[in-house]
Amino acid sequence: MFFMAVVVSLLLTYLSFKYLNDLAKFATNLSFIISGPTSKERILAYLWSFVLSTFPAFAAVFFGSPSISSEIETKTALHVFTLPIPRIILLIGKFLSSVTVTSAIVLTYTIFEVIVFQYLFNVLIIELLYSFLLTLMFVLAFSSVTFLISSLFNKNTYAYITALITYLLVFNAATIIIELLYSVTPYYLLNNAASITSRVYINIFFGITLSGGNTSPAPFSLIAYTSIVMFLYFIISFGITAVIFERKEVK
Amino acid sequence: MSQIEVKELTKNYGSLIALDHFDMSVEKGECIAMLGPNGAGKSTFLKIATNVIHPTSGSITIRGINIGDDPMAALQKVGPLVELPEFYPYLNGKEILDFVCRVKGASREQIKSETERLSVLLSMNDYIDRKCGQYSRGMKQRLALACSMAMDPEILILDEPTFGLDPRGMREFVDIISDLNRKEHKTVILSTHLISEAREVASRVIIMNHGRKMMDMKNEKDISMMKITFSGTINGDAFKNDGMEIVESGDNWATISVRGMTGNSKVIEKLLSGGVNVNWVEPVNNIEKTYLELVD
């Protein structure tokens, strides 16, 4: 996972240098007008963020999904559960380590991004920081969801598959249904809320049935709303996980 | 006050009753062997007692603390070994013991000395620095027992502690458990399929079947007796210091209590060194007889 993040970052670095002067053409093709002092930087950052946005999700699934189910499947729980240590402490420890490793991957490609931007433009836009912090919030939220899924199963494979299906299929299916029925993008679904990590640069979105936006950064109200959504996913999922983990048995 | 008090403990898995209104009271220093066939409820009880599973109804109180109310406080002085636990394969034995001692509140010096003591006691020196992923079943069992014995617990709860060990390992384990109970007065509850093991270590044997307690044998005469035949005479007082006591005797035969004497060879050795011309030694199989009567 870490290696892949490095490889993709290197590839994006190469493409950034090679196609920097074609950004205007890219924007024109999408019928967007590049204007403002940092528009070029924001479009390039948007492309970086768009390409790399799947990494935190896959890393969260990779590190979070087996966190509880593997304890039951491999029977390490028979040792750990009998120790005089509260299960909530065990859960917090596992969660923090999973979030830390996933965040390290985010940090890796963010460092690449910062170096490239510093070199190309000799300036660092504030949106880079916003995107980084929002990505960390997404890591927190989706890791929490993967922990919840992990707590429901006693086998790793089921946890992995369910976490992937939830993110790639269930959330998207729900998005399509809601967009078709109500013609609005449901930002209360985690996959849509997570798009804010790119939209802090330019507020365009390619929904499944709806598309739109402009080259301005996403408004503060949208950033605040999606942040609250992600925070709620984190709190609610973690709370339910803690209750299930407390009652978890090794038969 | 009893050290462990079990009241009406029941565990259901759907329609299956794994443990059925189980009651038990354990005094300090007792060594209880739980015997029974597979599915008798032994492991279910030990898992509830160590917080691995939760009862459907009933309660277990350890040192006056209900495990359902405060499992951490209840387990603070308990050394558990449940089935054959696995360990994180990327940690070595020393790191596992370090972790266990740390969780039990040991200082840095205590962790070092405890790790050394346990690796010597359980003959783990050759592989304590190897990753647990490379351990054999017997090595894992030794490490699991070391974890349960770490930081001097008052109570040991051991689920088939000799399962998967070679004969030498089994003998060592039985000796260690015996010593912990008799010399250090630890309370021990262990489950086993081996009647010989129960006879050697236990001061009390509970026979279980279908999740219920079928028999609670507290009388030493029923548990650890041997019948010997010999030529000449026997002086019972000569063996008292060795833990043997003559219970009954006749012409050239005697029934002796041998609790604490692990293995027939040791009994014979002690008798010979006491000047008894031994012809034959055999266990009085009260446990086996009762077990076969109760367990269909």
Side-chain angles (χ1 to χ4, degrees):
Chain A
M1 191 61 70
F2 185 81
F3 177 72
M4 276 173 67
V6 171
V7 170
V8 175
S9 300
L10 286 172
L11 187 66
L12 281 172
T13 305
Y14 167 75
L15 293 173
S16 300
F17 278 90
K18 189 168 184 188
Y19 295 107
L20 179 66
N21 296 324
D22 296 328
L23 280 177
K25 208 162 84 184
F26 163 78
T28 310
N29 286 345
L30 289 172
S31 307
F32 292 120
I33 301 156
I34 296 181
S35 61
T38 59
S39 55
K40 206 173 180 181
E41 289 91 326
R42 282 189 286 108
I43 287 176
L44 186 61
Y46 177 87
L47 293 173
W48 268 75
S49 176
F50 190 77
V51 172
L52 290 165
S53 60
T54 51
F55 269 97
F58 281 109
V61 169
F62 187 77
F63 297 115
S65 297
S67 55
I68 297 171
S69 52
S70 75
E71 294 277 5
I72 311 296
E73 187 176 0
T74 62
K75 297 210 166 185
T76 47
L78 286 175
H79 171 60
V80 176
F81 283 4
T82 60
L83 293 170
I85 179 167
R87 288 195 188 180
I88 186 70
I89 300 292
L90 286 173
L91 183 65
I92 290 170
K94 280 176 159 291
F95 185 73
L96 287 180
S97 50
S98 173
V99 165
T100 304
V101 178
T102 308
S103 302
I105 289 167
V106 174
L107 184 66
T108 304
Y109 67 67
T110 305
I111 289 170
F112 272 95
E113 200 175 354
V114 165
I115 293 168
V116 168
F117 274 70
Q118 184 64 40
Y119 188 85
L120 286 177
F121 305 112
N122 201 24
V123 63
L124 288 177
I125 52 176
I126 191 70
E127 286 86 352
L128 276 171
L129 178 65
Y130 296 160
S131 179
F132 176 67
L133 293 176
L134 287 164
T135 307
L136 292 188
M137 178 62 89
F138 170 68
V139 167
L140 213 57
F142 193 53
S143 294
S144 199
V145 172
T146 59
F147 265 63
L148 172 59
I149 290 167
S150 186
S151 71
L152 298 172
F153 294 100
N154 291 340
K155 286 198 180 295
N156 281 347
T157 316
Y158 298 159
Y160 275 125
I161 291 170
T162 309
L164 280 173
I165 286 176
T166 303
Y167 191 72
L168 297 176
L169 214 65
V170 176
F171 281 132
N172 283 334
T175 303
I176 291 171
I177 292 165
I178 293 161
E179 282 182 354
L180 285 174
L181 286 177
Y182 304 105
S183 298
V184 290
T185 304
Y187 287 111
Y188 46 83
L189 292 178
L190 192 55
N191 59 333
N192 293 313
S195 69
I196 196 67
T197 56
S198 305
R199 294 172 66 177
V200 289
Y201 300 116
I202 52 175
N203 189 22
I204 56 171
F205 64 97
F206 305 102
I208 297 164
T209 60
L210 300 173
S211 299
N214 52 58
T215 52
S216 305
F220 176 76
S221 58
L222 186 63
I223 294 174
Y225 178 69
T226 51
S227 300
I228 291 168
V229 166
M230 289 193 279
F231 184 72
L232 286 175
Y233 268 91
F234 159 57
I235 289 292
I236 294 168
S237 301
F238 193 80
I240 298 170
T241 307
V243 172
I244 295 172
F245 191 61
E246 193 63 44
R247 302 297 304 166
K248 198 81 183 168
E249 297 187 339
V250 193
K251 295 185 176 109
Chain B
M1 187 177 68
S2 302
Q3 203 162 27
I4 300 175
E5 195 71 51
V6 183
K7 282 183 187 162
E8 294 283 308
L9 201 66
T10 300
K11 178 68 181 176
N12 299 338
Y13 292 112
S15 59
L16 176 77
I17 302 169
L19 201 61
D20 191 4
H21 296 89
F22 184 74
D23 287 299
M24 185 170 74
S25 182
V26 183
E27 301 302 322
K28 186 171 167 51
E30 275 193 302
C31 181
I32 298 176
M34 303 183 90
L35 281 172
N38 291 328
K42 310 180 299 287
S43 290
T44 302
F45 166 69
L46 297 181
K47 280 180 177 175
I48 296 172
T50 51
N51 195 37
V52 172
I53 59 175
H54 309 287
T56 305
S57 63
S59 67
I60 299 187
T61 307
I62 299 177
R63 296 163 60 242
I65 304 163
N66 188 326
I67 197 161
D69 295 340
D70 190 352
M72 297 311 108
L75 292 173
Q76 195 62 44
K77 290 285 177 187
V78 173
L81 190 167
V82 183
E83 289 180 2
L84 176 62
E86 286 293 329
F87 300 98
Y88 298 120
Y90 45 84
L91 296 180
N92 66 36
K94 205 174 256 180
E95 287 163 339
I96 294 284
L97 282 173
D98 185 306
F99 170 63
V100 172
C101 292
R102 201 177 291 254
V103 165
K104 291 185 175 180
S107 66
R108 194 179 291 271
E109 292 74 28
Q110 281 175 313
I111 292 170
K112 194 166 179 281
S113 64
E114 195 67 353
T115 305
E116 281 170 10
R117 179 183 78 83
L118 290 168
S119 46
V120 170
L121 182 68
L122 293 162
S123 312
M124 299 192 301
N125 274 330
D126 291 344
Y127 55 85
I128 191 86
D129 290 316
R130 271 162 50 189
K131 302 277 185 224
C132 292
Q134 302 167 7
Y135 280 18
S136 68
R137 190 185 181 93
M139 290 170 176
K140 284 178 193 165
Q141 192 77 345
R142 281 171 189 271
L143 180 59
L145 191 68
C147 291
S148 68
M149 288 164 59
M151 299 308 295
D152 198 28
E154 285 177 18
I155 302 162
L156 288 165
I157 297 178
L158 311 169
D159 189 7
E160 298 189 33
T162 57
F163 185 70
L165 293 176
D166 57 34
R168 181 183 289 275
M170 286 169 83
R171 168 56 47 214
E172 284 174 16
F173 264 40
V174 167
D175 287 344
I176 289 167
I177 293 165
S178 256
D179 285 351
L180 285 169
N181 174 241
R182 295 203 186 95
K183 294 180 182 166
E184 298 183 32
H185 307 292
K186 307 281 185 206
T187 306
V188 180
I189 303 177
L190 64 93
S191 72
T192 180
H193 286 289
L194 305 174
I195 291 172
S196 59
E197 195 173 282
R199 187 171 48 234
E200 286 182 23
V201 299
S203 59
R204 180 176 165 193
V205 173
I206 291 176
I207 298 174
M208 295 184 71
N209 200 16
H210 303 305
R212 308 187 79 158
K213 184 165 69 177
M214 308 299 285
M215 176 68 83
D216 193 342
M217 302 168 80
K218 293 181 183 177
N219 191 335
E220 199 155 294
K221 277 187 187 176
D222 294 329
I223 299 171
S224 52
M225 303 287 282
M226 283 201 164
K227 187 173 183 180
I228 59 167
T229 56
F230 53 88
S231 311
T233 56
I234 185 167
N235 176 11
D237 294 339
F239 306 107
K240 277 195 173 170
N241 289 341
D242 295 320
M244 295 196 298
E245 196 174 339
I246 294 176
V247 179
E248 279 180 285
S249 63
D251 287 343
N252 297 328
W253 69 270
T255 307
I256 55 174
S257 160
V258 294
R259 187 169 172 254
M261 299 293 296
T262 49
N264 289 6
S265 58
K266 276 194 181 173
V267 175
I268 295 168
E269 192 184 305
K270 292 288 176 191
L271 288 166
L272 288 172
S273 64
V276 180
N277 194 5
V278 184
N279 295 329
W280 189 252
V281 174
E282 63 179 329
V284 177
N285 280 324
N286 286 345
I287 303 177
E288 190 172 323
K289 197 176 154 205
T290 313
Y291 182 91
L292 292 173
E293 280 170 7
L294 293 171
V295 177
D296 41 86

